[in-house]
Amino acid sequence: MKTALVLNGPNLNLLGTREPAVYGSATLADVEQLCEKACAAHGLKLDFRQSNHEGELVDWIHEAGRLHAAGTLAGVIFNAGAYTHTSIALHDAIKGTGITLIELHISNVHAREAFRHHSYLSPAAKAVMCGFGVQGYPLAIAGLAAMAV
Ligand code: DQA
């Protein structure tokens, strides 16, 4: 059984109380449950993580690269939060590993402030999804499963 690695970046631990008008009322634990269900439905094993630290996220992308090389990774779903708009290091990590990565945002970043319109991750991602709320996570897992066949 292959692994779907779901990575969440800074401030996503605050889901549920953080700007509910933008991000909704589901907590990160609720999102993990949605991902568990979706992975079970698609025959994938879930590895779900969150970090507020850019370097830790880089390390996890490298770890995903090793799983990819070993043939045990279906892919990565990555909500990098604000690092999306700032991090060349995360761009380079994704490029450097050759992993299949779906960039994900809960909100429609293109309908928000101009500083959210540019992503350093999109050019390195296989696919990008935004604006589906937390339901984007199970949708992205379904997409990963569909790409894997
Ligand atoms: C986000 C959008 C980002 O612009 C923001 O910095 C986040 C969350 C989203 O899921 O909509 O932290 O990635």
Side-chain angles (χ1 to χ4, degrees):
M1 187 182 277
K2 288 197 178 187
T3 297
L5 178 61
V6 179
L7 299 182
N8 295 280
N11 300 308
L12 289 160
N13 54 312
L14 299 180
L15 275 184
T17 55
R18 173 193 186 195
E19 298 183 82
V22 177
Y23 298 112
S25 57
T27 65
L28 195 62
D30 295 332
V31 174
E32 185 169 4
Q33 288 280 309
L34 289 172
C35 291
E36 279 290 3
K37 262 180 131 176
C39 279
H42 292 285
L44 295 169
K45 188 173 131 228
L46 176 68
D47 188 342
F48 188 94
R49 307 182 191 182
Q50 189 273 332
S51 176
N52 292 321
H53 305 279
E54 187 176 13
E56 186 164 39
L57 292 163
V58 169
D59 287 343
W60 288 346
I61 298 285
H62 293 177
E63 189 183 331
R66 292 191 288 276
L67 295 180
H68 173 74
T72 60
L73 184 78
V76 178
I77 291 155
F78 193 15
N79 185 349
Y83 288 143
T84 305
H85 318 298
T86 62
S87 181
I88 298 169
L90 285 169
H91 170 105
D92 286 349
I94 298 162
K95 280 265 191 179
T97 56
I99 54 173
T100 299
L101 182 139
I102 301 178
E103 175 186 342
L104 179 141
H105 303 286
I106 295 166
S107 63
N108 177 359
V109 286
H110 300 291
R112 299 181 63 195
E113 303 96 322
F115 64 81
R116 297 185 203 277
H117 297 176
H118 177 261
S119 166
Y120 280 102
L121 307 192
S122 296
K126 177 87 175 173
V128 180
M129 89 188 292
C130 69
F132 287 93
V134 295
Q135 291 300 333
Y137 285 81
L139 289 170
I141 288 168
L144 205 58
M147 278 194 284
V149 286

